Amino acid sequence: MLHPIQRICACTASIARIYTATSNVLHAFDATTGDLLASWTAPIVPPQGTTTAKNNSPNVEDDAPQSKKRKFEGETDPSTKKGKGGVRMSRLTATEGGSNNAISALLTTRDGTHLVVATSEDKAVRVFSVAEGKLELLSTRALPKRVGGLAFLENDTKLVVADKHGDVFLMPLIITEMPSPVEKPQDPAGSGQLPAGPERDAEAARRRARTEIDYNLPYEHKFIIGHVSMLLAVYPVSLPADHPAAAGKAKNWIITADRDEHIRVTRYPQTFVIDQFLLGHESFVAKLLSPSWNRTGLISGGGDTYLVEWDWLSGRRVQRIDLASHVHSVLAKSTLSGDTEPMSVSTTEPGAFKIAVNGLWELPHPNVKGVLVGVEKVPALFIFTQSSAGLAYTSKIPLTGNLLDVAVIAPENRILVAMCPLQGPSTLLQAYEFTSEGAWAKVEHPVVQSVSDAVTTVNVPEHLEEAVRANVLYSVGTLRKEFSEGDNRNRGTPNEQD
């Protein structure tokens, strides 16, 4: 099986680029000509039960005891098996031409000068410099748990990283020198109170620091938000000073969503203040979108049969939008025509197919207010448009494969759709454009052929196809909590991820 493109990202700034992730392989293309400019391969994490010669880190020796600290690059992870040298072992086996350390997220700055990449097995966030068609790795920062969400703050100078332990960290995009530790000032008089001045201020700062959580991460970071559930999405929002609700001063918030149906609106930088809880979902919330036409609006989706539109500033639920009927309509037609993955007819019946929203994107058209909605294992993109009556379904874009990811190229009213082929060899990427007639049409794009040529080097052995589908291609649906039959407490027995 040819490994599909699980992530795609477009930058439409002066440095116009298209980035694709196939397993652990990153490709960078010129967005205009489609030329392959650079590629990078994430390091392979050895599978469980194997050994490695020696850890490359000079700080870890072969016979070093197992550490109980949170894992950072070069250290061991106490929650997993170890091979020789204390290297973390993976549950999966490397694919041919790739590895289990798949790229799980791509994010580019607005000016296109930097690219952020998250990988799954080593739980790392890497920052690349993009210049003259090259990718230069600037930093690698490993987190305690896998990355659940990435976002930028403060004009793309700060990176917000949510992990699947429920923690959100703030860190600089570009690493500088680590700050020197604050030394405890001396009190020679033994009075128990320091005189007013810099030393007294330093002592107060040291005492405040004792209340903060120390994750022992070897880079500058700040813990800003914590959930008691697995974090799945992080989405910064802001209001300009001239907005009626801003009271003359620009304000910022961070919206987070987790596996336990919660959406939280937190002030920034005063992240100890929670302004709203948006409660209305019955399953996990995986995707968030605040459309440009409504700064206080929010659309959320995940494991429910519907989307929810909110006013996040007031905490009010505006409407609940049906999704199930449109999804089942596509599945029924695909099954009858044979253009879908093998499944029983009962899967298309209402309630049998479990919906998992894997993407929300704003419609790239200046005159149409709308949202593109992707659902895992469904060969279509659903289009919802905004009117005076609210957000409503209007049409869909049929696809030749199950939707994996979408890159929006707003200036050209165009999207690039990454798909998993349904039947045999098929295209992995397709371009669509919003025509003057008000419909989406398949168009030729130079990147499409370039990507098809580049990704043919990554293949998945037959015995690993099921594992790759569940862990890399269709991972959103695995977040659903499955409840045991006869459990009176209605508590699930989920298969927790790292």
Side-chain angles (χ1 to χ4, degrees):
M1 167 182 143
L2 185 64
H3 199 300
I5 301 165
Q6 74 265 15
R7 292 291 178 268
I8 184 169
C9 176
C11 177
T12 57
S14 57
I15 304 178
R17 297 286 184 269
I18 301 293
Y19 302 99
T20 64
T22 307
S23 184
N24 69 321
V25 183
L26 171 68
H27 291 107
F29 301 89
D30 186 294
T32 304
T33 64
D35 294 338
L36 176 62
L37 302 176
S39 61
W40 172 84
T41 302
I44 294 177
V45 180
Q48 287 184 0
T50 64
T51 59
T52 56
K54 191 173 183 179
N55 191 353
N56 292 328
S57 173
N59 299 323
V60 179
E61 299 188 4
D62 289 348
D63 298 328
Q66 298 180 2
S67 172
K68 292 186 178 181
K69 298 177 182 178
R70 291 184 179 267
K71 172 184 170 289
F72 58 87
E73 189 171 15
E75 277 195 342
T76 60
D77 187 337
S79 65
T80 60
K81 296 182 180 179
K82 286 82 177 174
K84 188 176 180 180
V87 179
R88 182 182 185 273
M89 294 299 145
S90 167
R91 291 188 295 269
L92 302 177
T93 305
T95 59
E96 297 175 0
S99 85
N100 49 15
N101 195 21
I103 295 172
S104 58
L106 296 173
L107 186 65
T108 180
T109 55
R110 282 171 289 185
D111 61 7
T113 57
H114 293 88
L115 174 71
V116 182
V117 177
T119 46
S120 56
E121 284 298 308
D122 58 7
K123 308 172 185 175
V125 173
R126 292 174 170 86
V127 178
F128 291 85
S129 173
V130 180
E132 299 178 359
K134 297 181 180 179
L135 293 173
E136 180 186 354
L137 181 61
L138 300 181
S139 64
T140 300
R141 285 168 272 190
L143 274 79
K145 292 293 181 180
R146 294 186 186 184
V147 175
L150 291 173
F152 289 120
L153 273 175
E154 301 182 20
N155 294 321
D156 296 352
T157 61
K158 299 289 187 180
L159 188 61
V160 182
V161 184
D163 73 12
K164 292 193 174 181
H165 188 265
D167 299 331
V168 180
F169 299 95
L170 181 70
M171 56 189 74
L173 178 65
I174 307 300
I175 291 183
T176 56
E177 293 291 331
M178 284 287 291
S180 302
V182 179
E183 296 184 0
K184 182 178 180 179
Q186 301 296 321
D187 181 18
S191 61
Q193 184 175 1
L194 294 170
E199 290 188 350
R200 183 171 179 176
D201 294 340
E203 171 65 6
R206 187 187 67 82
R207 291 182 177 180
R208 287 196 301 270
R210 291 189 305 180
T211 65
E212 298 179 357
I213 300 175
D214 183 9
Y215 284 84
N216 195 33
L217 302 177
Y219 49 79
E220 183 181 351
H221 69 283
K222 183 180 180 181
F223 169 76
I224 57 173
I225 297 175
H227 280 231
V228 293
S229 178
M230 184 187 296
L231 268 174
L232 305 180
V234 56
Y235 199 99
V237 292
S238 61
L239 293 179
D242 58 356
H243 192 278
K249 183 179 180 181
K251 296 181 180 180
N252 301 280
W253 292 262
I254 299 176
I255 304 178
T256 48
D258 63 30
R259 193 183 184 187
D260 285 335
E261 310 97 38
H262 303 137
I263 302 175
R264 184 191 298 180
V265 182
T266 306
R267 291 186 192 178
Y268 177 82
Q270 302 89 358
T271 54
F272 50 84
V273 179
I274 301 173
D275 276 349
Q276 302 292 344
F277 283 98
L278 308 182
L279 305 178
H281 281 278
E282 301 172 72
S283 187
F284 64 87
V285 184
K287 300 298 174 181
L288 301 172
L289 175 67
S290 181
S292 60
W293 70 79
N294 183 6
R295 288 186 175 273
T296 62
L298 181 73
I299 302 167
S300 59
D304 290 311
T305 59
Y306 50 84
L307 304 173
V308 180
E309 184 180 6
W310 310 86
D311 183 310
W312 59 261
L313 188 61
S314 65
R316 180 175 62 91
R317 187 177 75 177
V318 177
Q319 67 175 135
R320 197 167 83 167
I321 308 139
D322 174 61
L323 186 60
S325 60
H326 314 300
V327 171
H328 292 305
S329 174
V330 171
L331 290 177
K333 293 179 181 178
S334 299
T335 303
L336 294 176
S337 63
D339 294 332
T340 187
E341 293 181 325
M343 61 173 65
S344 64
V345 177
S346 63
T347 309
T348 66
E349 296 175 358
F353 180 82
K354 296 183 178 180
I355 290 175
V357 175
N358 63 354
L360 295 171
W361 303 272
E362 188 169 341
L363 204 63
H365 194 283
N367 301 322
V368 180
K369 300 175 182 179
V371 177
L372 296 168
V373 181
V375 178
E376 206 168 66
K377 299 183 181 180
V378 177
L381 257 175
F382 302 94
I383 302 173
F384 292 79
T385 55
Q386 184 76 21
S387 66
S388 57
L391 199 63
Y393 172 81
T394 53
S395 62
K396 63 179 179 292
I397 304 175
L399 305 175
T400 58
N402 288 337
L403 178 86
L404 295 179
D405 202 4
V406 172
V408 176
I409 307 176
E412 303 175 12
N413 298 335
R414 186 175 296 172
I415 59 174
L416 295 176
V417 182
M419 299 170 289
C420 181
L422 298 175
Q423 298 288 346
S426 181
T427 180
L428 302 179
L429 188 68
Q430 186 59 60
Y432 293 86
E433 188 175 286
F434 197 78
T435 65
S436 57
E437 290 78 17
W440 286 91
K442 188 184 300 185
V443 296
E444 297 296 328
H445 195 285
V447 175
V448 173
Q449 186 59 47
S450 299
V451 169
S452 300
D453 295 338
V455 301
T456 54
T457 58
V458 182
N459 290 281
V460 181
E462 185 176 352
H463 68 283
L464 290 178
E465 289 186 12
E466 183 178 350
V468 170
R469 289 178 185 274
N471 293 278
V472 180
L473 306 181
Y474 304 132
S475 59
V476 179
T478 63
L479 299 169
R480 191 183 310 276
K481 292 185 176 181
E482 300 294 342
F483 299 102
S484 303
E485 184 176 357
D487 190 345
N488 294 328
R489 296 172 298 175
N490 199 30
R491 296 179 60 183
T493 55
N495 181 19
E496 296 287 353
Q497 300 183 19
D498 289 338

